[in-house]
Amino acid sequence: MPSKNSSDNHLFSFALWRRSSRKVWPLWLVFFIALLFLVPFSLFAQTSAIAEDKDQVLFFAKEFFYSTTISSLACFILLAAGFFCALSQFSYLLGSTSSVAVHALPLKKKTLFFTNYLSGLFPPLAAETLCCLLCVPYLLLKGLAGSLPALFTMLLVLLVMTLLFYSLAVLGILLSGNIGMAAFFYLLFHFFAEAVHILLITFAGFFLYGFSGSAASFLTVFSPAAEMLEWVPYIEDYDHRAFSFHGFPLMAAYFIAGLALFLVSMVLACYRKNEMAGAALGFPCLKPVFKYGASFALALLGGAFLINLVFSAYPSSYVPKTPCSVLICLALVLLPGIAGYYAAEMVLQKSVRVFGYNAKRILPVCLVLAVGVLMAQLDVFHYSSRIPNAASISSVDFSIASPVSVEATITDSREIQLLRSLQDSIMEDRAAQGALQKQMVHDSSGNPPYTTCTASFTYNLKNGTTVRRSYDLYYVDSSYESGSKSEKALVDTLSDENLAHTLYFGNLSADDLEAVDYYYKESGDASGSYQDYSLNTPSQKKGFYEALEKDIQDGALPGMVLQGVSYIDANGETISPLEEQGTGSSDSSGGAASPSYQYLSIYWDSKDTRNDTVSLTGAMKYTSQFLNSRE
Amino acid sequence: MIKAKGVTKFLDGTKVLDDVNIQVEDGSVYGLLGPNGAGKTTLLQCLSGVLEPEQGYILYDGEPVYENPPVKEKISFMPDELYCSWQENIRDLKELYQALYPSFSEKRFRSMGEIFAFSEKKRIRSFSKGQKRQLAFWLKLSAMPQYLLLDEPLDGLDPVMRRQISSILMDDVARRGMSIVISSHNLRELEDLCDHVGILNGRSLVLEKSLEELQGNLVKLQVVFPEGASLGSGLDILHISRIGRVYTIIFRGTAEEAQKKLSPFHPIVMDCLPLNLEEIFIYELEEKGYAVKELF
């Protein structure tokens, strides 16, 4: 067969551009008007309403560009604009009549794609640029030139996100053959990583005791729409009215991703068969991925729902380990899995009569699900029972959340051993915990006495890997005195003098103390009082530190003398002080009269550059006595 | 010249065309016939470069058509439905065609505009089916194509417009040497236009001949036999029907051959009648098992 004529290699067709642009202008107008209201009009209206204080207006303008605009409506407008602009240019791929008519024109597929891609992308980019430029003269006239970097940062974000969203939408249309599937793919691309993560952790949480799924929070980066909504933290420092934008690396990554998606789409457009218009999928080779993907997704999601319904079990809790329960779990996962497979088949065949059609192909799904459920339920890889060998551990990040809140990195081998023993006790107590959880779920008294507590262990191993486990623990009595094995182990562990000291103070010493913010409530005092103390002399520091240590040794869990501790490190990470929890408890030790509830913020000096703050909440008997004696 | 060799095409996993070979000479009109679902539209889409055959190839003057704009510039394909966006008018489409087809003739567009008499500013979405069809002809023929591929082109046109368009088509074939491949179920119309015919059935091309050859290869006789006479076997009869004593018999071969075969039965009357394209189509396909079935 003769070789193809390659004389016509133009990538861009001006005639097609003109035609495509004519199609998209109504959309451009709607988008432009929406942006006009969102950016310049909104800015004019809101800055005019603010008093004459120029600093305040400047602060507001920066805040407006950095956070309000980008993270609110713009995200939704860009989401919609990306999809509809792509649809206006590539909708010919979704209908056989249009596909035939367009592909009969004397244009190469790459020319069609490239020209249409630009025709759809240009209008939103132009609208965004125009709207932002409209703000410039206003800002200059108002003497708000200081907010121009914020304006152009916002413009950059809008342009990059438009490129990314539009490219995702184009890819979605190319992969599908009808508008419903195109919209489905578009949303799937936005939330795929998060969705898979949620599905997997939900599912694994039912079977793997101690499973912790929170480690993959970085996945929001792969959900650009969600990431855009999260960009409120542009505001760095309200007190100093300073802003800084940390999103440039992410913007660069998204820009590259947008370009990569464009290139991938171009290759797909060249290889996509024209007869796929109207089909659910643009590429037949995707059919198994779609069918099995739907099957597994529904198996995980539906299975988790049904298991929850039947066993009243929540993630990281107890599903009984009996042969009967294994079979029930298997059935509860297979049922939605099979339903998912046939639902996908219905979408592909555009018919509900798919039962019996290639029924044998469901067998691999059943097999994989069965193996997965059995492996998880029988803990084939010893996930649930694994506690790393003490010799292999370099440190442990240990945290307890609610009602006691501590978080620290433990490196001492004796303390690490204590934590290993604690985890061991928790695992041995699994059945009792499951029973307790069921009790809690079925308790209809309206005033349940149950308390929950989350204990997390992250073992940093010497070989560079980590083992992470997290347990939701259930206790009948909020005083922690009902005596289950895990309760006792927890109280014993936290009562260990050295470990408690490490947990609450890390390696801070008395010399590091600088000042104390002391908030206390007398019995019956609703409002409470607040005082600052400076610890100026070494003896003052030593006296306070010793009092604090006594409180901690005296406290720990029994009687909930101490309710929590949190740090704010030099990077500003975390860690807001604990809010008041309940009404606090009375002094269980029966010592001298002390306030029923106290809250301390202890500021350490900056010798070690950390400038840490420790917040403690609870009935602080000895520190109260010390501080009161100073008065 | 259009040459399709061994064209095989699958749609959604189903073989729609199987080893189809056709050849359309320059300045000829090729009628593509076949029952519904035979693959005529698919073949036309392959010929126009819209679809790429899985096997085989299609050449225009030795050049492949798929993804080959210089070849496609010489082709106008008119599908059974005109596609345009909701806000386009005739001028918009004309500008597009003018830009994409180097041979587009403004003069032809103006002269044909007098026939169709549409306002160039009128939105196409407001057109009726017949008007859209006229517009398609207007634009496609203004592109002065060397090859015109038509899928059910005259559907929806009134008789006057049909005749008008047929006349323009024949004029272009005669004057410019344009080649036409036309698919239609209206065999009466095709008979007037075509000089070659190909019949697609069951995914394959079952017959490809010139109309003359086709008509000369079948003969229809109306015969009355003496009472009690019966026709034996081995006569190579394509079709036979009987009303009273009058038999209508279709033979493959010439009239002389047929008369010679029937003479041993001493026919009382034997008339040779002309066969039209519709009859040829029906009898040829009847032989392939596609026939009118009697339900009662």
Side-chain angles (χ1 to χ4, degrees), chain A residues 87-386:
Chain A
L87 202 61
S88 73
Q89 298 306 308
F90 293 94
S91 58
Y92 69 89
L93 293 170
L94 307 179
S96 62
T97 306
S98 52
S99 176
V100 167
V102 173
H103 286 111
L105 295 173
L107 292 167
K108 283 201 166 190
K109 282 184 180 181
K110 65 179 178 188
T111 312
L112 270 174
F113 174 82
F114 187 71
T115 309
N116 282 326
Y117 183 88
L118 291 185
S119 309
L121 181 61
F122 179 72
L125 296 187
E128 286 154 10
T129 309
L130 198 56
C131 280
C132 289
L133 291 179
L134 281 175
C135 296
V136 173
Y138 174 79
L139 293 173
L140 292 176
L141 285 173
K142 276 265 192 181
L144 301 173
S147 63
L148 285 177
L151 171 70
F152 289 118
T153 303
M154 181 198 75
L155 177 59
L156 174 81
V157 172
L158 292 181
L159 296 179
V160 170
M161 296 313 277
T162 302
L163 171 74
L164 185 65
F165 289 0
Y166 176 74
S167 298
L168 281 173
V170 170
L171 182 64
I173 292 173
L174 281 169
L175 288 179
S176 64
N178 68 50
I179 188 168
M181 287 297 288
F184 170 75
F185 279 131
Y186 183 53
L187 289 176
L188 188 69
F189 292 150
H190 272 290
F191 301 104
F192 180 73
E194 287 274 354
V196 169
H197 180 228
I198 289 169
L199 282 176
L200 289 177
I201 63 167
T202 306
F203 188 75
F206 280 105
F207 296 104
L208 305 173
Y209 194 53
F211 178 81
S212 169
S214 58
S217 58
F218 69 91
L219 286 175
T220 54
V221 173
F222 297 103
S223 301
E227 189 69 12
M228 195 173 174
L229 281 174
E230 291 292 319
W231 283 348
V232 181
Y234 296 135
I235 301 166
E236 278 290 295
D237 186 350
Y238 267 111
D239 292 336
H240 297 94
R241 298 192 165 186
F243 296 85
S244 63
F245 179 69
H246 296 299
F248 287 114
L250 194 63
M251 283 298 99
Y254 280 166
F255 178 72
I256 292 166
L259 289 182
L261 287 170
F262 155 71
L263 291 173
V264 168
S265 301
M266 189 151 170
V267 172
L268 289 179
C270 291
Y271 284 99
R272 189 182 193 271
K273 287 177 177 268
N274 297 337
E275 60 263 33
M276 296 320 291
L281 294 174
F283 294 87
C285 59
L286 290 177
K287 282 184 182 176
V289 179
F290 180 68
K291 282 192 285 188
Y292 292 123
S295 178
F296 286 116
L298 217 63
L300 297 181
L301 197 67
F305 173 76
L306 292 174
I307 290 170
N308 187 9
L309 212 64
V310 172
F311 292 106
S312 303
Y314 290 113
S316 290
S317 67
Y318 178 66
V319 174
K321 270 185 169 180
T322 62
C324 178
S325 73
V326 172
L327 288 176
I328 293 172
C329 281
L330 189 58
L332 295 177
V333 171
L334 280 180
L335 206 65
I338 293 169
Y341 182 87
Y342 281 114
E345 192 74 65
M346 284 176 196
V347 171
L348 292 175
Q349 303 290 334
K350 295 179 183 169
S351 164
V352 291
R353 294 183 175 184
V354 294
F355 300 102
Y357 174 81
N358 288 333
K360 283 180 189 169
R361 291 186 185 168
I362 194 72
L363 288 177
V365 180
C366 297
L367 196 67
V368 171
L369 287 173
V371 169
V373 168
L374 287 173
M375 275 170 39
Q377 180 74 330
L378 302 176
D379 195 16
V380 172
F381 295 110
H382 304 292
Y383 181 95
S384 300
S385 56
R386 184 181 179 196

Side-chain angles (χ1 to χ4, degrees), chain B residues 191-204:
Chain B
E191 198 167 11
D192 292 342
L193 290 171
C194 299
D195 44 37
H196 279 76
V197 168
I199 298 179
L200 271 172
N201 187 36
R203 305 186 298 244
S204 315

Side-chain angles (χ1 to χ4, degrees), chain A residues 53-74:
Chain A
D53 182 354
K54 194 177 163 187
D55 284 347
Q56 197 185 346
V57 180
L58 183 63
F59 175 77
F60 174 80
K62 288 179 184 173
E63 188 187 26
F64 177 82
F65 292 132
Y66 272 122
S67 64
T68 315
T69 309
I70 295 171
S71 63
S72 56
L73 277 174

Side-chain angles (χ1 to χ4, degrees), chain A residues 1-2 4-5 7-8 15 18-19 22-23 25 98 100-101 103-106 108-109 273-275 287, chain B residues 9 11-12 45 50-51 54 57 63 66-70 72 77 83 87-88 92 95 99-101:
Chain A
M1 180 183 157
K4 282 186 180 178
N5 185 337
S7 63
D8 192 75
R18 279 210 311 184
R19 187 199 194 196
R22 272 195 214 109
K23 283 194 287 185
W25 75 260
S98 52
V100 167
H103 286 111
L105 295 173
K108 283 201 166 190
K109 282 184 180 181
K273 287 177 177 268
N274 297 337
E275 60 263 33
K287 282 184 182 176
Chain B
K9 181 70 197 167
L11 290 182
D12 204 16
Q45 289 178 357
V50 171
L51 301 183
E54 269 79 29
Y57 59 84
E63 287 290 320
Y66 188 74
E67 283 287 90
N68 194 352
K72 280 175 146 186
F77 173 46
Y83 166 74
Q87 54 181 342
E88 274 179 326
D92 296 334
E95 284 174 4
L100 294 181
Y101 292 91

Side-chain angles (χ1 to χ4, degrees), chain A residues 374-414:
Chain A
L374 287 173
M375 275 170 39
Q377 180 74 330
L378 302 176
D379 195 16
V380 172
F381 295 110
H382 304 292
Y383 181 95
S384 300
S385 56
R386 184 181 179 196
I387 301 175
N389 191 305
S392 66
I393 300 169
S394 63
S395 67
V396 183
D397 298 329
F398 176 67
S399 71
I400 293 205
S402 176
V404 181
S405 177
V406 291
E407 186 172 355
T409 300
I410 310 298
T411 51
D412 179 76
S413 58
R414 194 190 72 82

Side-chain angles (χ1 to χ4, degrees), chain A residues 272-566:
Chain A
R272 189 182 193 271
K273 287 177 177 268
N274 297 337
E275 60 263 33
M276 296 320 291
L281 294 174
F283 294 87
C285 59
L286 290 177
K287 282 184 182 176
V289 179
F290 180 68
K291 282 192 285 188
Y292 292 123
S295 178
F296 286 116
L298 217 63
L300 297 181
L301 197 67
F305 173 76
L306 292 174
I307 290 170
N308 187 9
L309 212 64
V310 172
F311 292 106
S312 303
Y314 290 113
S316 290
S317 67
Y318 178 66
V319 174
K321 270 185 169 180
T322 62
C324 178
S325 73
V326 172
L327 288 176
I328 293 172
C329 281
L330 189 58
L332 295 177
V333 171
L334 280 180
L335 206 65
I338 293 169
Y341 182 87
Y342 281 114
E345 192 74 65
M346 284 176 196
V347 171
L348 292 175
Q349 303 290 334
K350 295 179 183 169
S351 164
V352 291
R353 294 183 175 184
V354 294
F355 300 102
Y357 174 81
N358 288 333
K360 283 180 189 169
R361 291 186 185 168
I362 194 72
L363 288 177
V365 180
C366 297
L367 196 67
V368 171
L369 287 173
V371 169
V373 168
L374 287 173
M375 275 170 39
Q377 180 74 330
L378 302 176
D379 195 16
V380 172
F381 295 110
H382 304 292
Y383 181 95
S384 300
S385 56
R386 184 181 179 196
I387 301 175
N389 191 305
S392 66
I393 300 169
S394 63
S395 67
V396 183
D397 298 329
F398 176 67
S399 71
I400 293 205
S402 176
V404 181
S405 177
V406 291
E407 186 172 355
T409 300
I410 310 298
T411 51
D412 179 76
S413 58
R414 194 190 72 82
E415 292 169 6
I416 287 173
Q417 188 53 45
L418 280 174
L419 294 179
R420 289 182 73 251
S421 304
L422 172 61
Q423 193 194 346
D424 191 39
S425 303
I426 290 171
M427 290 191 314
E428 282 180 23
D429 203 31
R430 180 181 177 181
Q433 284 290 320
L436 208 54
Q437 186 205 16
K438 274 192 177 174
Q439 268 182 42
M440 197 177 90
V441 170
H442 293 119
D443 191 313
S444 56
S445 65
N447 187 24
Y450 306 101
T451 301
T452 58
C453 168
T454 303
S456 298
F457 305 77
T458 304
Y459 295 97
N460 302 306
L461 305 185
K462 287 173 182 167
N463 63 9
T465 59
T466 57
V467 175
R468 188 183 168 88
R469 298 291 183 270
S470 182
Y471 302 92
D472 290 331
L473 305 172
Y474 301 86
Y475 302 117
V476 177
D477 189 340
S478 60
S479 68
Y480 293 84
E481 287 171 350
S482 57
S484 79
K485 191 164 185 174
S486 61
E487 269 180 274
K488 190 171 181 307
L490 188 62
V491 170
D492 286 348
T493 306
L494 295 181
S495 301
D496 180 87
E497 189 177 332
N498 293 328
L499 183 61
H501 189 276
T502 311
L503 288 174
Y504 288 122
F505 295 111
N507 56 1
L508 297 172
S509 67
D511 285 344
D512 299 326
L513 277 170
E514 186 183 35
V516 181
D517 287 343
Y518 180 41
Y519 173 81
Y520 62 93
K521 265 185 187 173
E522 298 288 354
S523 298
D525 178 8
S527 60
S529 302
Y530 182 84
Q531 265 183 296
D532 286 318
Y533 294 95
S534 290
L535 301 168
N536 298 320
T537 65
S539 66
Q540 281 175 351
K541 290 179 181 180
K542 190 180 173 200
F544 179 76
Y545 194 82
E546 285 173 355
L548 206 53
E549 281 192 310
K550 275 186 187 174
D551 268 331
I552 289 165
Q553 287 161 24
D554 205 31
L557 281 172
M560 293 186 59
V561 174
L562 281 178
Q563 284 193 323
V565 57
S566 61

